[in-house]
Amino acid sequence: MKDKTTSDTIALDKQYLWHPFTQMADWLDGEPVMIERGEGFFLFDTEGRRYIDGVSSLWCNVHGHRVPAIDAAIRDQLDRIAHSTLLGLGQTRAAELAERLVRIAPAGLQKVFYSDSGATAVEIALKIAYQYWQNIGDTCRTRFIAIRDAYHGDTVGAVSVGGMDLFHGIFKSLLFETLFVSSPHPYRFDGTPDQCAAASLEAIESLLKTCAGQIAAIVLEPLVQGAAGIIVHPRGFLKSVEQLARRYNVLLIVDEVATGFARTGKMFACEHDDVRPDLMCLAKGITGGYLPLAATLTTQEVFDAFCAKGDPYKTFYHGHTYTGNALGCAAAVASLDLFEQNWILESLPEKIDLIAAAFTRIADLPSVGDVRQCGLMGGIELVLDKTTRQPFDAKRKLGAAVCAAMRPKGAMLRPLGDVIVLMPPPAIDVPTLKQLLDIIEETLEREF
Ligand SMILES: *Cc1c(COP(=O)(O)O)cnc(C)c1O
């Protein structure tokens, strides 16, 4: 097919597409960038302009674009089969990947349930947790504890345990009731980080006491609440939540959709606190950012509660047509191989230090209220008043303006409100990362 010109493609887009998380009236008025191809850590638009992929194509790219080994693995799988079902049939690549995931997952996670997005991975974890208690006869455990400003995806169950008012408020009457506790967000808390964490932990414990016997699980994003604006929890918070879950005998669901696959500096965020969840949700980076695939991992104990020969009522009736898609699994296996071959985890400390050094300088700029970092996940929060932490008027869309100003300099970022998000692919090379950090620093310093 002949390449379309930029204006032709924009015309098609504007006539036929409805973009996610987008006020389409603004989109239709705008001059969108049309991405045509990628190469390594760069995106190229239809005008041939090159941008560093500074947020990993929405937090999922790991090794870059057009990675020969992943491309080859997908082609190789295409020569066998693109897709067959896991309903009533096995599939070689899906089995291979399941073993690989269990091998690297936190201890105790033994079984892999596939789906195709982060939201479905969470939805599945919630339903497994819910049915687990039903199956073992503890039938009053039907409620979940979640964290305010949490983001777990956009399906109705995932939204029910999500706490972002702007996204979720309108759907309130559609959701199941969840017990929320405050997010341990030190920048928006009057007190020390320890007091901040303690306040959330006390709230969780108080719910576990008052609703004893009714809680199925606690669900949270480990270490970092991504979509809420890269809120980095105080050290030890995750471990304390795990201890509460154990003490009060409720399941612990960790949503590693954003944090998984090296974003926090380790393969999984749970590793920082040596946490062993009952259920773990994976998506985004699982295929290296190539194809939509997700997985919900759980323990033998949870799995066993669903196993009863000939008993159809214990079965987990959930599945999606493309569950365990072979191309996605092939990409995921190739991505895991690259983690080892390219020593990705070992390469991270240097990059994490570079970001930390740049953030220390950026923190001093007049409109920067807070800088937050957990491994390769970074957030720079812009505020009107550094002392009072008063935000800018949301209508000013300052975060978006800052990111727009970085585009001509060759960096593609996407903010969360007035938080400038930095989320480079874990495999990014140091010179490109330096270039990205320079663009961010220079833009904030000179233009805002
Ligand atoms: C992105 C995200 C999700 C949703 O993943 P999708 O693939 O977009 O459905 C869920 N949880 C967290 C923590 C995320 O960052």
Side-chain angles (χ1 to χ4, degrees):
M1 201 178 86
K2 240 179 86 189
D3 278 344
K4 293 220 176 272
T5 63
T6 303
S7 57
D8 283 350
T9 325
I10 291 178
L12 288 179
D13 178 294
K14 287 191 172 178
Q15 187 164 1
Y16 295 108
L17 254 174
W18 188 343
H19 285 261
F21 276 93
T22 302
Q23 175 41 258
M24 287 306 291
D26 295 339
W27 176 270
L28 294 173
D29 269 350
E31 278 280 328
V33 170
M34 307 298 282
I35 298 301
E36 189 172 44
R37 63 189 186 90
E39 188 76 58
F41 304 102
F42 294 91
L43 303 168
F44 292 82
D45 70 13
T46 44
E47 298 287 292
R49 288 175 298 213
R50 193 179 84 152
Y51 310 90
I52 302 171
D53 191 359
V55 290
S56 302
S57 291
L58 217 77
W59 315 3
C60 66
N61 190 276
V62 175
H63 306 284
H65 300 281
R66 298 190 61 210
V67 182
I70 305 180
D71 292 1
I74 294 172
R75 284 197 194 100
D76 176 71
Q77 186 59 42
L78 266 177
D79 286 338
R80 296 160 204 270
I81 190 166
H83 179 75
S84 67
T85 183
L86 288 189
L87 277 70
L89 288 175
Q91 202 277 309
T92 50
R93 208 60 77 198
E96 183 185 357
L97 177 62
E99 188 272 336
R100 293 288 296 272
L101 290 174
V102 166
R103 207 195 306 163
I104 59 170
L109 297 172
Q110 298 285 338
K111 299 285 174 181
V112 177
F113 195 102
Y114 289 116
S115 60
D116 6 79
S117 71
T120 56
V122 170
E123 202 81 31
I124 286 161
L126 298 172
K127 286 176 72 179
I128 288 178
Y130 183 96
Q131 191 179 339
Y132 165 78
W133 294 108
Q134 300 297 311
N135 280 5
I136 66 168
D138 205 341
T139 53
C140 296
R141 291 189 179 273
T142 56
R143 309 173 81 183
F144 294 90
I145 294 177
I147 312 277
R148 268 205 195 92
D149 295 318
Y151 179 77
H152 296 292
D154 297 324
T155 55
V156 170
V159 169
S160 296
V161 292
M164 298 187 63
D165 251 11
L166 175 67
F167 301 168
H168 303 152
I170 194 158
F171 299 112
K172 218 168 180 157
S173 71
L174 204 56
L175 311 177
F176 62 74
E177 194 199 337
T178 295
L179 303 162
F180 285 102
V181 301
S182 63
S183 155
H185 185 3
Y187 183 62
R188 295 286 169 198
F189 182 86
D190 282 322
T192 66
D194 279 349
Q195 289 167 336
C196 177
S200 299
L201 291 167
E202 277 161 28
I204 294 175
E205 183 153 21
S206 139
L207 285 174
L208 289 166
K209 278 181 184 156
T210 50
C211 304
Q214 299 172 34
I215 310 293
I218 304 172
V219 51
L220 84 166
E221 295 159 85
L223 305 192
V224 188
Q225 285 178 241
I230 316 294
I231 295 174
V232 180
H233 294 163
R235 276 223 150 274
F237 176 73
L238 177 62
K239 190 71 194 170
S240 303
V241 173
E242 181 194 37
Q243 285 162 351
L244 285 175
R246 297 296 161 247
R247 193 172 319 142
Y248 290 88
N249 188 32
V250 303
L251 297 176
L252 178 66
I253 302 174
V254 295
D255 175 356
E256 291 246 15
V257 170
T259 51
F261 302 99
R263 299 276 164 205
T264 66
K266 294 189 186 284
M267 197 56 140
F268 301 111
C270 282
E271 292 172 35
H272 291 272
D273 274 4
D274 188 26
V275 161
R276 299 174 180 196
D278 300 290
L279 291 137
M280 177 164 93
C281 310
L282 301 175
K284 289 194 169 103
I286 191 170
T287 59
Y290 263 61
L291 288 161
L293 182 78
T296 306
L297 276 66
T298 194
T299 61
Q300 188 71 44
E301 187 185 343
V302 168
F303 177 81
D304 284 345
F306 291 76
C307 286
K309 271 209 170 88
D311 182 350
Y313 295 101
K314 296 257 162 103
T315 305
F316 185 49
Y317 291 105
H318 188 111
H320 302 278
T321 306
Y322 285 99
T323 287
N325 174 261
L327 292 179
C329 291
V333 169
S335 170
L336 292 178
D337 286 341
L338 286 179
F339 266 102
E340 290 171 21
Q341 283 161 23
N342 296 341
W343 300 86
I344 301 298
L345 292 165
E346 292 77 0
S347 80
L348 297 181
E350 183 186 2
K351 300 172 206 176
I352 292 169
D353 289 349
L354 265 179
I355 297 172
F359 272 24
T360 306
R361 295 189 299 271
I362 288 170
D364 286 335
L365 298 176
S367 21
V368 173
D370 192 25
V371 292
R372 302 187 279 271
Q373 184 193 2
C374 180
L376 296 170
M377 303 174 80
I380 302 165
E381 181 163 344
L382 308 174
V383 291
L384 182 63
D385 188 323
K386 237 172 140 81
T387 339
T388 62
R389 303 175 220 175
Q390 188 193 335
F392 284 100
D393 183 351
K395 291 207 185 80
R396 230 178 114 174
K397 294 190 182 155
L398 187 65
V402 170
C403 291
M406 292 183 199
R407 285 184 183 178
K409 299 174 187 175
M412 190 60 80
L413 293 179
R414 179 178 166 83
L416 289 159
D418 284 341
V419 177
I420 307 302
V421 176
L422 170 73
M423 188 104 51
I428 196 169
D429 58 283
V430 167
T432 307
L433 178 60
K434 276 189 179 147
Q435 207 183 329
L436 175 62
L437 290 166
D438 285 347
I439 293 172
I440 296 173
E441 192 173 345
E442 188 194 283
T443 306
L444 285 171
E445 199 172 47
R446 300 235 177 112
E447 298 182 36
F448 293 91

